[in-house]
């Protein structure tokens, strides 16, 4: 405890106390006047440490900027394709993955360098979705989403090739109507088959009709 002064007021042994201690802001200081016994309020500014603020560059694309290496000229088309796929029920992440593989910007397990970094095309995406709907009877967007998630390369598979493979399913497996549609939804890679080894492996398993 502090000692009494001549006016009978007990003095604090530490005359300075702070009510706030925020660097860089005005700080209220209590100063006990040992003579008058009153508290004086004064302001002083604490030295603030220097703070470095880093600003991240903002992306100019409204939806998606696309994979690394995509030109700024093609970025809007890429975003448009993503929006089309999101509209049928795909998540943005799934749509990105489908575009990357479908247009040859990622894994070449299916394309085998036949299609590499193809420029994005909203027309190609629309054509694929139309084919799945009209030719293969996939009225449900959920079915189209399943096909695109399992076999995203279908976005750029030639429709003539798909017709040939669908013809084989009809002829060799007697599939038609809803049974045909369900079979393709279950194993959509058959749409992109380019060979049929018939038991004598040709080393193109990712493109072989035998996987059906």
């Amino acid at each position: 405890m502090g000692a009494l002064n001549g006016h009978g007021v007990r003095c604090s042994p530490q005359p300075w106390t702070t009510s706030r201690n925020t660097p860089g802001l005005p700080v209220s200081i209590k100063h006990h006047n040992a003579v008058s016994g009153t508290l004086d309020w004064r302001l002083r500014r604490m030295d603030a440490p220097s703070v470095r603020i880093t600003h991240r560059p903002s992306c100019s694309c409204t939806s998606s900027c696309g994979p690394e290496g995509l030109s700024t000229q093609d970025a809007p088309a890429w975003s448009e394709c993503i929006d089309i796929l999101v509209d049928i029920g795909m998540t943005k992440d799934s749509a990105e993955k489908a575009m990357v593989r479908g247009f040859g910007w990622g894994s070449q397990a299916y394309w085998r360098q036949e299609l590499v970094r193809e420029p994005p095309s909203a027309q190609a995406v629309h054509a694929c979705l139309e084919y799945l709907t009209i030719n293969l009877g996939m009225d449900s967007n959920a079915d189209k989403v399943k096909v695109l998630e399992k076999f995203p390369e279908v976005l750029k598979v030639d429709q003539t090739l798909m017709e040939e493979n669908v013809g084989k399913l009809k002829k060799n497996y007697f599939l038609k109507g809803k049974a045909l549609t369900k079979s393709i939804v279950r194993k959509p890679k058959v749409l992109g088959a380019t060979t049929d080894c018939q038991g004598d492996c040709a080393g193109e398993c990712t493109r072989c009709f035998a996987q059906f």
Side-chain angles (χ1 to χ4, degrees):
M1 300 294 289
L4 294 175
N5 63 12
H7 298 276
V9 178
R10 191 175 300 278
C11 301
S12 171
Q14 296 180 345
W16 293 93
T17 59
T18 61
S19 60
R20 296 179 62 189
N21 189 22
T22 304
L25 296 176
V27 179
S28 298
I29 305 297
K30 294 179 181 179
H31 176 63
H32 191 281
N33 191 317
V35 177
S36 64
T38 61
L39 292 174
D40 295 332
W41 293 84
R42 302 175 185 176
L43 294 177
R44 76 176 183 182
R45 184 175 297 276
M46 303 292 289
D47 292 334
S50 60
V51 179
R52 178 177 297 177
I53 300 177
T54 302
H55 296 281
R56 294 183 180 179
S58 60
C59 177
S60 59
C61 303
T62 57
S63 175
S64 167
C65 288
E68 183 179 355
L70 184 72
S71 69
T72 55
Q73 181 180 358
D74 288 331
W78 185 276
S79 295
E80 184 179 0
C81 293
I82 295 297
D83 290 340
I84 294 170
L85 297 179
V86 169
D87 284 344
I88 67 169
M90 298 189 78
T91 65
K92 184 178 179 180
D93 184 58
S94 294
E96 288 276 2
K97 291 179 180 178
M99 285 293 297
V100 167
R101 285 182 52 185
F103 283 77
W105 287 82
S107 170
Q108 287 289 317
Y110 174 80
W111 291 120
R112 298 176 179 241
Q113 306 303 313
E114 291 179 4
L115 185 144
V116 179
R117 297 194 170 193
E118 184 79 4
S121 168
Q123 182 179 358
V125 174
H126 277 303
C128 173
L129 296 178
E130 183 177 323
Y131 180 84
L132 295 178
T133 303
I134 297 176
N135 296 64
L136 300 182
M138 296 184 193
D139 298 323
S140 168
N141 282 338
D143 284 343
K144 289 191 279 285
V145 168
K146 290 178 182 177
V147 169
L148 288 166
E149 289 181 341
K150 293 178 181 179
F151 183 52
E153 289 84 355
V154 72
L155 287 170
K156 287 294 293 180
V157 171
D158 187 89
Q159 289 189 11
T160 301
L161 176 62
M162 289 195 281
E163 278 295 309
E164 291 177 1
N165 289 326
V166 171
K168 289 182 180 180
L169 293 176
K170 292 178 178 179
K171 180 180 179 180
N172 299 340
Y173 296 87
F174 308 102
L175 294 172
K176 61 181 180 179
K178 292 183 178 180
L180 174 65
T181 301
K182 290 181 179 179
S183 296
I184 294 175
V185 171
R186 183 171 56 88
K187 291 188 176 182
K189 290 183 179 180
V190 70
L191 293 173
T194 59
T195 185
D196 188 356
C197 67
Q198 298 181 347
D200 186 13
C201 185
E204 296 188 13
C205 300
T206 57
R207 299 162 58 150
C208 185
F209 199 87
Q211 65 183 312
F212 182 76

